[in-house]
Amino acid sequence: MSQYAALARSRGYGEKTGRVIKLKDILNFISMMIFAAVIFSGTTKIAPLKKELLVVGGMVCLVSFFITNQKIRIMNVTAVIWLYVIMYMLASSMLNSNMSKTIIYVLMYMASFIVMVTGFSKKDYLMFIKICEIFAAVFCATVLLEFFIRPLFTNYLIFLMDTPSRAASIRSEMKIGIFSGLSGEKGEASYAANILISIQLCQIFVRRKASKKNIALLLLAVFSLLMSGKRTMLMMPLVITLAFFFVNKIKGRVFKLIAAAVIVGISVYILTMIFPPLAITIDRIFNSSSDDMLTGRGDLWNVCKNMFVSNPLFGRGFASFNTFANRDYNVNVMMAIQNHEKWLFHAHSLYYQFLGELGLFGSIPAFSVILYSCIGVLRLRKNMDQMSGGEKIIYHFSLYYQLWFIIYGFTSNVGYYPQDLIMYFLCVSMYLYLKHRFKPMRKPVPDEINTIQQEEYV
C-alpha cells in the first residue's frame, strides 16, 4: 500500500469513497440501460416513450454528477459550441407556431449535451458498448427467427409492438422479402445490425484478429442487415472500415483491404444463394432506378430550400419543418400517394433541415462542431500506441458513430431521432474522455494524491 493510500485510509476516506463509487456506478448503469432502451426500442411498446426516456437518462446523469462529484467536461471547444447551438435552438423554436410539440426536441438536445459533458469513466463506456452488443445480438437473432417463423411478431408476439396495426406493416414488408424481427421496422432492424457489426469491427481491429465469437456475430449481423433491405446501412460498415484502416498502422493495408473485400463479397454471395431473400438489398444497390428510397425527398428538400431563402440568417425555427411541409403542394401529393394524413417524418436530411430551420447563424456552428469533433477523434490516432485495449475499443467505437452520423445525415433524420442522437453524443463524450486522457500535463500528479484531494470535497 502506498503512503498516499495509507494516508487516505487513516483519514477514513476508504469507506466513504467506496459508498460514493458504488452509488456512481449504480446511477451510471441505470443511465446506460435507459439509453440502450432508447436505441433498441424499435417499434416496441417502449418506442412512443423514446424522447421522454432520453430526457430521463440525461437527468439521471445530472443527479449522478451532483451526488458523486463527477468531473464535467465542459471547458472545451466542442461543449461551448454545442451549448451555443442548443441555446439557439431553444430561442428559434419560439418562432414555431406549434412550440409545445417541438420543445421536446430541444429537451432531447439538452439531455444529450448533459450526457456528452458528464465525466463517465473508461469502465462506463466499455459497459455501454457491452450492453449494446448484447441488445444488438438479441435483436439480430430475432430477424433470423422471423425468417423461419413468419407469424412470430405478427401473431404470437404482437403484444410486444407499439400498436396491433404494426402487424400489417410487418406483413407488407415480409411480402417483398424484408424482415425486421423484434425491431418491427426495417430501418430500426438495420440500425441494430450496424451496431453489432461496428462492435465486432472495433474488437477485430484492436486485437488484430477475429475470434470465433466475432465471426459468428458478424455473420449474424450481416444476415440481419441484408434481410432488412436497407442499402445505405449496408454500405456504412464498408465505408467506415476504410477509416479504420487509415487510423491503424497495418502493414500491407491495401492487400489486406482487398483480401477482406473479396472474402466479404464471397460470403455475401454464398448467403444470397442459401437464402435468396438476402439478394433484395444487393439488387437495390445495383438497380437504384427501381428503388423508391429517394421518392419524394427532392420535394422535402425543396421545402427546406424555401424555408432557408425566406430567412437565410435565422431560419424558420427549430423543428418547424413538418409544419411547412404540410403546407407544400408537392408534399401533399406525395402524402396522398403514400396514404399519409400528415407529414411527421422530417426532411430526411440533417443538413437541409438545419439550414431551413436554423439559418446560417445556427446551422454553420452546428456543422462546424460536428466536423470539429470528427477531425479531433481522427487526430487522436497518434496516441493509439499509448492507449490500453479498452481505450482503443472506445476510440474505434467513437470514430465509427461520428462518421456514421455525418454520412447518414445526408439522407436521414439523425438529428431528430432520439436513438441516433444519444448514440452520437455518447460517442462525442468518448472522444472528449480520450482527449482529456491524453492531454499533456505540465505537472503530473500521482493518482493517489488526486484521489485524496477529490475525496476531501465529497
Side-chain angles (χ1 to χ4, degrees), residues 320-335:
S320 63
F321 171 81
N322 289 338
T323 300
F324 287 91
N326 281 292
R327 299 173 184 171
D328 184 83
Y329 173 79
N330 292 323
V331 174
N332 275 275
V333 171
M334 179 183 66
M335 286 192 292

Side-chain angles (χ1 to χ4, degrees), residues 74-334:
I74 197 169
M75 298 307 296
N76 57 78
V77 174
T78 301
V80 171
I81 297 178
W82 267 119
L83 187 60
Y84 162 79
V85 171
I86 294 170
M87 292 300 101
Y88 187 93
M89 288 174 172
L90 177 61
S92 71
S93 65
M94 297 179 184
L95 299 173
N96 193 343
S97 59
N98 200 358
M99 183 180 175
S100 60
K101 287 188 177 181
T102 60
I103 197 66
I104 186 64
Y105 290 100
V106 178
L107 293 176
M108 281 167 45
Y109 270 88
M110 288 181 175
S112 299
F113 176 81
I114 292 171
V115 173
M116 183 186 75
V117 299
T118 296
F120 291 119
S121 66
K122 178 176 73 173
K123 181 176 69 174
D124 295 323
Y125 292 125
L126 291 175
M127 174 181 65
F128 172 73
I129 293 172
K130 187 62 180 179
I131 291 171
C132 285
E133 183 180 37
I134 294 171
F135 271 82
V138 170
F139 274 73
C140 288
T142 63
V143 175
L144 184 63
L145 286 173
E146 187 180 49
F147 178 79
F148 292 105
I149 309 173
R150 303 298 171 93
L152 185 60
F153 296 104
T154 58
N155 188 3
Y156 307 137
L157 299 178
I158 187 61
F159 64 90
L160 295 175
M161 297 301 164
D162 51 357
T163 62
S165 60
R166 178 62 56 183
S169 61
I170 295 175
R171 289 192 190 98
S172 65
E173 289 186 347
M174 285 196 294
K175 284 181 180 178
I176 58 174
I178 293 176
F179 299 84
S180 54
L182 182 56
S183 297
E185 194 272 331
K186 60 184 180 182
E188 300 286 353
S190 65
Y191 188 35
N194 240 264
I195 291 172
L196 188 58
I197 290 173
S198 68
I199 295 172
Q200 305 318 304
L201 289 176
C202 289
Q203 294 174 358
I204 290 170
F205 272 88
V206 169
R207 298 166 185 165
R208 301 296 173 91
K209 62 180 182 180
S211 66
K212 293 179 181 179
K213 173 191 169 186
N214 293 140
I215 294 172
L217 291 179
L218 265 178
L219 288 174
L220 174 63
V222 170
F223 178 93
S224 177
L225 186 54
L226 287 169
M227 295 300 290
S228 71
K230 293 288 288 184
R231 65 179 189 177
T232 307
M233 282 289 202
L234 177 64
M235 300 303 297
M236 207 65 68
L238 301 177
V239 173
I240 299 176
T241 297
L242 296 176
F244 280 10
F245 271 94
F246 171 73
V247 299
N248 286 275
K249 299 176 182 178
I250 301 176
K251 295 181 180 180
R253 64 177 66 181
V254 175
F255 171 78
K256 291 183 178 180
L257 181 60
I258 294 173
V262 171
I263 293 171
V264 170
I266 294 173
S267 300
V268 170
Y269 178 75
I270 293 173
L271 283 171
T272 57
M273 293 295 290
I274 299 173
F275 302 103
L278 294 177
I280 289 177
T281 302
I282 308 300
D283 291 339
R284 294 179 69 190
I285 293 175
F286 296 103
N287 297 287
S288 58
S289 60
S290 62
D291 183 21
D292 63 351
M293 188 183 74
L294 293 177
T295 300
R297 291 192 183 183
D299 295 328
L300 299 175
W301 296 345
N302 283 334
V303 174
C304 294
K305 294 175 185 177
N306 293 333
M307 292 170 64
F308 175 75
V309 169
S310 65
N311 196 343
L313 295 181
F314 301 104
R316 300 305 302 268
F318 181 56
S320 63
F321 171 81
N322 289 338
T323 300
F324 287 91
N326 281 292
R327 299 173 184 171
D328 184 83
Y329 173 79
N330 292 323
V331 174
N332 275 275
V333 171
M334 179 183 66

